[in-house]
Amino acid sequence: MTTGLSEFFQYNLWANLRLLDACAQLSDAQLDATMIGTFGSVRETLMHLFASEEGYVKSFTGTTPTPPLKELNTFVGFDELRRRAERSGKELITIAEQRDLSETFYLDGGTYEAQAVIVAIQAINHGIDHRSQIATLLSLQGIELPALDSWGYNDALREK
């Protein structure tokens, strides 16, 4: 079922990988800075972002990498985050292209009902929200991230 949603996930993967590339250049102090109103430090937010993305994939497929990021208490490093981001990002693209998004999911141990399309929308929204939080954390330190918005994505597509 083609919905056009896969393009959103292609953008999401591009933005996630671009964010990881930029953050890999930061110092420990920059990665560990926090502020009220954000999820946590850059490291914590990245781990949460990609653990959640694995969870969205699990909602559709029933599978997750071993061990799931959500079970790890320490930062796994940028190479591992990139590998996992590529995996979950590509899986979400495939899901958007091939799955019936009108399917009903029973989440949180069956206590919460939502259509698959809502889970897909949440995955996009969640990524944008946390990338923005990281951008805020870094901008307060005088660090500017590369463009992660749709205009930056369009420019990247045009450069190919």
Side-chain angles (χ1 to χ4, degrees):
M1 175 176 176
T2 302
T3 63
L5 189 58
S6 66
E7 286 82 4
F8 284 88
F9 284 108
Q10 290 169 16
Y11 154 74
N12 191 66
L13 176 57
W14 170 85
N16 284 341
L17 295 178
R18 193 166 163 118
L19 174 67
L20 285 170
D21 289 344
C23 289
Q25 307 306 311
L26 301 175
S27 70
D28 287 338
Q30 292 164 330
L31 291 169
D32 293 332
T34 61
M35 66 172 275
I36 294 172
T38 61
F39 180 83
S41 70
V42 172
R43 284 185 223 265
E44 292 166 331
T45 305
L46 289 170
M47 288 288 289
H48 169 74
L49 172 62
F50 297 115
S52 296
E53 195 161 281
E54 287 179 354
Y56 301 132
V57 170
K58 184 178 180 183
S59 295
F60 286 94
T61 66
T63 62
T64 188
T66 304
L69 277 177
K70 72 177 187 172
E71 293 180 6
L72 302 176
N73 297 323
T74 59
F75 187 71
V76 297
F78 286 101
D79 290 341
E80 179 65 8
L81 280 182
R82 183 177 190 73
R83 186 183 70 73
R84 288 183 182 241
E86 287 175 343
R87 177 182 174 171
S88 60
K90 289 175 183 175
E91 286 178 304
L92 287 167
I93 292 165
T94 300
I95 287 164
E97 291 172 345
Q98 298 178 1
R99 289 293 295 259
D100 176 5
L101 298 179
S102 66
E103 176 183 1
T104 299
F105 290 153
Y106 298 92
L107 307 170
D108 297 335
T111 63
Y112 190 78
E113 181 179 326
Q115 280 192 318
V117 71
I118 299 301
V119 175
I121 292 168
Q122 172 58 22
I124 296 293
N125 182 67
H126 188 259
I128 292 168
D129 185 35
H130 287 303
R131 287 190 299 270
S132 178
Q133 289 178 4
I134 290 171
T136 299
L137 278 167
L138 296 179
S139 69
L140 290 173
Q141 298 178 71
I143 302 162
E144 186 176 338
L145 284 172
L148 299 176
D149 62 5
S150 56
W151 303 120
Y153 181 58
N154 183 60
D155 294 343
L157 290 175
R158 293 177 59 115
E159 289 172 6
K160 281 187 173 182

